[in-house]
Amino acid sequence: MTLVNKVLLKISTAFVSIIGSSILVFSIIYLLPGDPVLSMIDPSVATPEMVANLRKELGLDQPFYIQFSEYFMNVLQGDFGQSVVNSEPVLPKIVEHFPATLALTITSAVLSVVIGVTFGVLSAIYRNKWIDIIARIIGLFGISMPTFWSGILLILIFSVYLNWLPSIGSDGWKTLVLPSLSLGFVGAGFIIRMVRNSMLDVINEQFIVTLRAKGLSERVVMYRHALRNALIPAITIIGLNIGELLAGTVVIETVFSRQGIGRIVADAIMAKDLPVIQGVVFFSAIVYVVINLLVDLSYSFIDPRVRRAH
Amino acid sequence: MALLLLLSGCANSASTKNSSAETNEKADAQPKQGGELTYALATSPDSLDPHRSGLAVAGRVFRTIFDNLVIQAEDGTIQPWLATEWTVSEDGKSYIFQLREDVKFHDGTPFNAEAVKFSFDRIIDPKTKSGNALSLLRPYVSSEVLEEYTIKINLATPSAAFLSNISQNQLGIVSPTAVEKYGDQFGKNPVGTGPFKFVNWTENADIQVEKNSDYNWGPSNVENKGKPYLDKISFKIVPEEATRIGSVQSGQVLAAETVPPQNIATLKNDPKTQLLTVNTIGLPYTLFFNQRKEPWNNVKARQAVQLAIDVDSIVKTLYLGTYERSWSPLTPGIVGYDKSLEGSVKVDIDKANKILDELGYEKGSDGIRVKDGKQLTLNYVDGSPNREKRNDIAVIVQQQLKRIGIKVEINITKDVASVIYTNADYDLYGNSQVNSDPNALRAIYHTRTPEEEAVFKGLPGGSDTELDQLLEQGTSELDQAKREEIYKKAQQKIIKDAWIIPIYVFPYTVAASKTVNGITFDALGYPLFNDVSIE
């Protein structure tokens, strides 16, 4: 199979996943118990007639297949519907808030890679030395501390006591530091473990011994050869990690009062604002699928074995 | 002959002393002009259209942008605002309001009888999809513009709650030209006659309003009737409690609402912050029995639970003395509140046990009572998240009722709408409501019609002819003293028959930097910013 064919196949699989996820999301929300109309008006003051009118207005009295086919036809034309809470169109809302989430996700990903790879490599090279112990502690904390907890801790230290960085908002780089640190630590924890383990595996492999025997400097052996091989599993983790990061923004955006699609979906769930929930989940599914596609394709460039297998 | 109710000018400046706030030391000094107040809200408003949003958090912003025809003072009296005086017809079904002639909307539209008619007609128009505002405005039928500044409002039935209701922020008067211009998006571009003009709303970040320099028609519950001292208010949306309190402590915002009880003590001792508290009025946080279910349709069974729940210790344990315990289906401060109910219910485990014995429930080997082979269980439903520690109340009640052999099953759910209001699948459920008039009782405690039940099951599903009559009389009785008596009887009846277990009165708390002066609250507990200045 040629590279082009492979890429085309991956893209079409991605497309199928996106359609599948849209059907899934719509069905789950449809089947959820509860009446969105009753959550929109205070049931203790509403009259039966008000409830009935609103239900009709929103098309919620229609059967499932009509609701779904109407929704899907509209989505194909770029219309994700309107928020039932304030009648705002959904797509522009997502487009407006996505950059903030993207900025947070990218910064966190970069931080987690930088922290994760650095400490992962160092702890493998200096195995059982003090730097290894520190790296493993960071890894343990990153994995086991929930983000809302580390977020609040960071706010207490850097915002309330030291007064160095803002605790809320989403304008400017300063507001990005604390949230992306707290989110990035989670990813860093996994990457440290992954890189450390695969580095240790690689270091003991025959080809490293050969390279050393050929008289290459330790630096070249470690960073050009060992690290490159150890990075393959790490990249898979980073790819999956971006999905985790996207999900993590829901919590972090709330803790740090940032704008973003995570906040939107959290608010929409509370308000049972179905068009918004559907829109954001659908949109996130697209982003997730695209990122995984890119990660898949990137193997080819990092690992010659994958490239040759084409 | 018309009955003259109130004339303008009887402003009662004492009514602003609603809060138990620390008094500002420099109250005598001339307030400083200018500055921006940053005020952290706990949740985001859904819309800034007062006729479409029913959220309390939106109400906190409405008071800056919109004015009402009248205002309710702390003592419950109705005082002028955009309306200078009014008369009520003898049958209680029509009101004639004289309006101020010097008011204009932020977009330059003149305020007049047409604008009032437009606002009220908009609320009853089904296209507006009005919810809470509509139920407040009822029994409104129509308006007639008599002269440019005189309007006649017609009601279907007399309503003693009408004036109080039109003082609520959801019945604020909106600019007709702005509504026509923005249509469905008016909630993102609100225009009123209030002390502040809407500037910008960045979703999930902040809502900004700026000083309305033309403002000169402040209501009686603020000192500063003219333009505000502040240049600007920025309402930041900060849902996370710890972050919100942290932002006040770090100085990133000047004030933050809804302080959790555990932070109140710390903030009181913080030399840089002040704590403002005001009890909201309406229906307190109340546990409602579901009287559609056995054995809770029996007054004896309900009374046993009433005698076994130690509300005092619940409120003291969870809120560390920062919340007031509630005794009645109404909160203190509302018209007709019956103070005599305070202390009326005492914990009596022996009596509770005896009642259950009499009902034929016998304690089994595990201490849980059994009758006809069925265990005495109580399905306690509460919403999620754990707002004001409401879920913790459920856990304590579970422990307390174990003492009399009732097994409490706690069901915490996000989906209160279907569990409670669609299926009525509960024995005990907690809820509260902010409201300015005791007529709020009618929506809850009046017997529900089969049509109402078909659409959704209201709380608490009981039926009592005597109570129905009291609640009906209360709605239409225009004599204030008689009306108060009626509601006192109704409250006594509800407690005597153990329809509910009232738990606590919700205090609205604001932590603010000491540099902020003059935050006050209206009768319902919504903040007012007319008198606010920053040192």
Side-chain angles (χ1 to χ4, degrees):
Chain A
M1 198 188 284
T2 66
L3 186 60
V4 176
N5 276 350
K6 186 176 175 178
V7 169
L8 284 178
L9 180 70
K10 291 235 180 226
I11 290 175
S12 47
T13 336
F15 195 68
V16 172
S17 326
I18 289 170
I19 293 176
S21 65
S22 83
I23 296 175
L24 199 66
V25 169
F26 197 91
S27 319
I28 290 173
I29 290 172
Y30 183 85
L31 294 170
L32 274 182
D35 187 335
V37 174
L38 286 188
S39 60
M40 286 168 67
I41 22 181
D42 187 347
S44 60
V45 293
T47 65
E49 155 207 5
M50 272 157 68
V51 174
N53 281 343
L54 195 54
R55 182 167 290 125
K56 200 169 169 202
E57 183 93 24
L58 298 170
L60 291 169
D61 52 349
Q62 301 287 327
F64 175 77
Y65 67 96
I66 292 187
Q67 286 189 40
F68 180 73
S69 53
E70 272 182 11
Y71 177 73
F72 202 73
M73 291 316 284
N74 289 335
V75 164
L76 286 183
Q77 293 158 35
D79 175 10
F80 281 60
Q82 286 188 343
S83 154
V84 294
V85 173
N86 54 20
S87 313
E88 265 189 287
V90 174
L91 191 60
K93 195 177 167 116
I94 296 173
V95 171
E96 184 195 334
H97 287 74
F98 187 60
T101 302
L102 191 69
L104 177 62
T105 314
I106 291 175
T107 337
S108 310
V110 170
L111 272 175
S112 66
V113 171
V114 171
I115 299 172
V117 173
T118 314
F119 280 96
V121 170
L122 288 177
S123 75
I125 296 176
Y126 301 102
R127 196 179 171 187
N128 293 331
K129 302 269 169 47
W130 60 269
I131 199 158
D132 181 26
I133 295 166
I134 290 177
R136 283 156 74 179
I137 291 174
I138 293 176
L140 184 70
F141 270 110
I143 291 166
S144 41
M145 249 201 306
T147 47
F148 67 86
W149 173 246
S150 60
I152 288 170
L153 215 61
L154 289 172
I155 287 176
L156 276 179
I157 299 169
F158 293 102
S159 198
V160 176
Y161 292 114
L162 297 172
N163 223 334
W164 287 353
L165 290 160
S167 50
I168 59 168
S170 45
D171 38 349
W173 66 270
K174 275 190 172 176
T175 59
L176 255 181
V177 180
L178 296 183
S180 40
L181 257 182
S182 111
L183 199 53
F185 256 119
V186 183
F190 285 105
I191 294 174
I192 289 174
R193 288 192 170 182
M194 204 66 202
V195 171
R196 182 178 185 271
N197 289 345
S198 47
M199 272 294 270
L200 288 176
D201 286 346
V202 172
I203 286 171
N204 293 325
E205 269 192 47
Q206 204 62 46
F207 79 95
I208 295 287
V209 180
T210 314
L211 288 171
R212 279 191 181 132
K214 278 169 75 180
L216 284 178
S217 75
E218 191 64 18
R219 181 178 288 261
V220 175
V221 172
M222 283 299 161
Y223 294 104
R224 277 205 57 166
H225 298 277
L227 180 58
R228 188 162 177 156
N229 281 283
L231 273 185
I232 303 288
I235 287 192
T236 315
I237 285 284
I238 293 164
L240 291 173
N241 189 27
I242 287 178
E244 295 275 318
L245 287 178
L246 272 176
T249 55
V250 175
V251 173
I252 282 298
E253 283 172 357
T254 306
V255 169
F256 289 93
S257 303
R258 290 180 57 80
Q259 280 192 295
I261 56 169
R263 273 290 280 296
I264 292 185
V265 80
D267 289 350
I269 288 168
M270 292 304 252
K272 284 223 172 99
D273 196 342
L274 302 191
V276 176
I277 305 176
Q278 279 159 3
V280 179
V281 175
F282 192 23
F283 183 83
S284 309
I286 296 174
V287 173
Y288 189 70
V289 167
V290 169
I291 288 172
N292 272 289
L293 184 66
L294 294 178
V295 169
D296 252 11
L297 297 177
S298 74
Y299 289 153
S300 323
F301 299 97
I302 295 169
D303 189 349
R305 282 172 301 184
V306 177
R307 195 165 29 195
R308 239 171 275 130
H310 297 147
Chain B
M1 198 194 86
L3 170 73
L4 193 63
L5 267 194
L6 249 165
L7 283 163
S8 64
C10 55
N12 178 6
S13 63
S15 65
T16 55
K17 302 287 176 281
N18 185 351
S19 72
S20 68
E22 293 170 28
T23 45
N24 294 316
E25 288 156 22
K26 293 178 186 165
D28 299 334
Q30 197 60 31
K32 208 172 156 190
Q33 298 279 341
E36 174 181 350
L37 176 73
T38 39
Y39 191 94
L41 299 171
T43 46
S44 174
D46 48 352
S47 160
L48 291 180
D49 183 340
H51 302 164
R52 293 184 63 177
S53 175
L55 295 185
V57 67
R60 313 219 212 282
V61 181
F62 294 155
R63 277 284 184 246
T64 63
I65 302 171
F66 300 99
D67 292 332
N68 291 53
L69 289 189
V70 297
I71 189 73
Q72 183 163 24
E74 198 205 348
D75 60 6
T77 58
I78 305 297
Q79 297 178 6
W81 195 350
L82 291 180
T84 52
E85 58 187 79
W86 53 91
T87 55
V88 189
S89 68
E90 237 166 38
D91 62 1
K93 282 162 72 172
S94 60
Y95 287 69
I96 295 176
F97 289 93
Q98 293 298 327
L99 307 176
R100 286 189 75 117
E101 300 182 7
D102 57 344
V103 176
K104 60 178 200 273
F105 289 98
H106 302 148
D107 59 356
T109 310
F111 165 80
N112 51 28
E114 280 296 342
V116 176
K117 178 177 164 57
F118 178 87
S119 283
F120 288 171
D121 285 349
R122 175 175 186 251
I123 295 170
I124 59 163
D125 182 352
K127 280 199 219 94
T128 310
K129 290 187 238 165
S130 187
N132 291 21
L134 178 56
S135 54
L136 284 173
L137 189 60
R138 287 197 164 154
Y140 174 91
V141 180
S142 63
S143 304
E144 296 161 44
V145 175
L146 300 182
E147 275 167 54
E148 177 155 25
Y149 296 104
T150 311
I151 187 164
K152 184 177 173 203
I153 287 173
N154 302 310
L155 306 182
T157 51
S159 163
F162 182 69
L163 284 175
S164 166
N165 283 351
I166 61 168
S167 79
Q168 292 201 34
N169 56 50
Q170 286 152 3
L171 297 189
I173 306 299
V174 299
S175 160
T177 38
V179 169
E180 261 148 40
K181 183 172 164 197
Y182 297 111
D184 244 6
Q185 293 303 308
F186 180 75
K188 279 251 155 180
N189 303 278
V191 178
T193 61
F196 293 88
K197 298 180 199 178
F198 172 80
V199 180
N200 183 40
W201 179 0
T202 317
E203 201 177 355
N204 282 331
D206 59 8
I207 293 169
Q208 295 178 346
V209 295
E210 66 180 15
K211 178 198 322 223
N212 174 7
S213 297
D214 298 330
Y215 198 72
N216 192 28
W217 44 88
S220 67
N221 59 351
V222 296
E223 303 259 342
N224 172 21
K225 314 275 190 263
K227 60 180 186 227
Y229 306 127
L230 294 170
D231 286 338
K232 211 172 152 190
I233 305 175
S234 180
F235 294 97
K236 307 265 180 197
I237 294 130
V238 189
E240 177 56 44
E241 263 176 11
T243 316
R244 202 162 60 245
I245 305 309
S247 333
V248 182
Q249 290 176 315
S250 70
Q252 207 186 343
V253 299
L254 286 173
E257 67 168 12
T258 320
V259 183
Q262 69 271 19
N263 290 93
I264 286 180
T266 339
L267 285 169
K268 265 188 183 155
N269 296 326
D270 188 333
K272 285 194 296 194
T273 52
Q274 56 180 326
L275 206 68
L276 307 137
T277 310
V278 58
N279 279 334
T280 58
I281 68 168
L283 312 183
Y285 179 70
T286 307
L287 304 181
F288 296 89
F289 284 104
N290 183 4
Q291 295 186 31
R292 299 172 189 87
K293 293 224 169 175
E294 295 256 6
W296 315 115
N297 53 354
N298 183 342
V299 58
K300 290 270 172 204
R302 298 196 300 267
Q303 275 166 344
V305 173
Q306 187 184 42
L307 290 166
I309 294 181
D310 185 354
V311 179
D312 267 334
S313 74
I314 292 175
V315 176
K316 273 187 197 135
T317 312
L318 292 178
Y319 309 111
L320 313 163
T322 57
Y323 284 26
E324 233 171 81
R325 180 211 163 140
S326 148
W327 295 96
S328 151
L330 291 172
T331 65
I334 207 164
V335 171
Y337 171 73
D338 186 10
K339 207 172 161 55
S340 74
L341 282 171
E342 292 177 10
S344 61
V345 177
K346 292 199 173 63
V347 182
D348 192 336
I349 301 294
D350 293 341
K351 199 169 163 194
N353 271 316
K354 222 166 105 192
I355 292 174
L356 292 178
D357 288 341
E358 281 166 16
L359 288 176
Y361 287 96
E362 283 168 28
K363 277 198 181 167
S365 55
D366 56 353
I368 301 300
R369 289 176 181 272
V370 183
K371 185 180 174 181
D372 306 330
K374 263 180 73 184
Q375 284 198 321
L376 181 52
T377 52
L378 184 143
N379 175 17
Y380 188 131
V381 180
D382 203 78
S384 168
N386 191 4
R387 174 183 163 194
E388 295 139 36
K389 303 188 191 243
R390 289 177 176 187
N391 300 355
D392 304 338
I393 296 176
V395 177
I396 303 183
V397 167
Q398 184 178 44
Q399 291 305 318
Q400 292 181 341
L401 290 186
K402 212 172 163 186
R403 295 186 297 190
I404 58 166
I406 298 178
K407 183 172 163 190
V408 175
E409 280 166 359
I410 300 173
N411 174 15
I412 307 294
T413 174
K414 270 211 165 80
D415 191 25
V416 163
S418 61
V419 174
I420 304 294
Y421 297 104
T422 309
N423 302 322
D425 184 17
Y426 68 100
D427 295 321
L428 203 61
Y429 168 67
N431 202 1
S432 61
Q433 197 188 91
V434 174
N435 207 301
S436 64
D437 193 273
N439 189 43
L441 292 176
R442 186 169 175 172
I444 308 270
Y445 298 97
H446 194 278
T447 305
R448 292 171 62 77
T449 63
E451 298 86 60
E452 287 170 335
E453 280 285 294
V455 176
F456 66 87
K457 316 275 189 289
L459 304 166
S463 175
D464 185 299
T465 338
E466 198 189 324
L467 186 59
D468 285 350
Q469 275 173 4
L470 287 171
L471 295 173
E472 284 158 26
Q473 286 166 15
T475 306
S476 52
E477 178 58 66
L478 297 174
D479 182 319
Q480 186 78 359
K482 279 190 197 156
R483 190 163 187 248
E484 289 188 16
E485 277 317 303
I486 292 167
Y487 281 117
K488 279 181 182 163
K489 276 189 200 147
Q491 291 165 73
Q492 285 157 8
K493 183 135 188 57
I494 292 165
I495 295 298
K496 195 181 103 237
D497 294 344
W499 281 43
I500 53 163
I501 320 272
I503 305 288
Y504 65 82
V505 184
F506 177 63
Y508 181 66
T509 46
V510 175
S513 157
K514 281 255 168 79
T515 57
V516 178
N517 285 328
I519 296 180
T520 56
F521 300 92
D522 72 4
L524 283 170
Y526 288 97
L528 299 168
F529 299 99
N530 305 56
D531 295 324
V532 177
S533 63
I534 302 169
E535 270 171 39

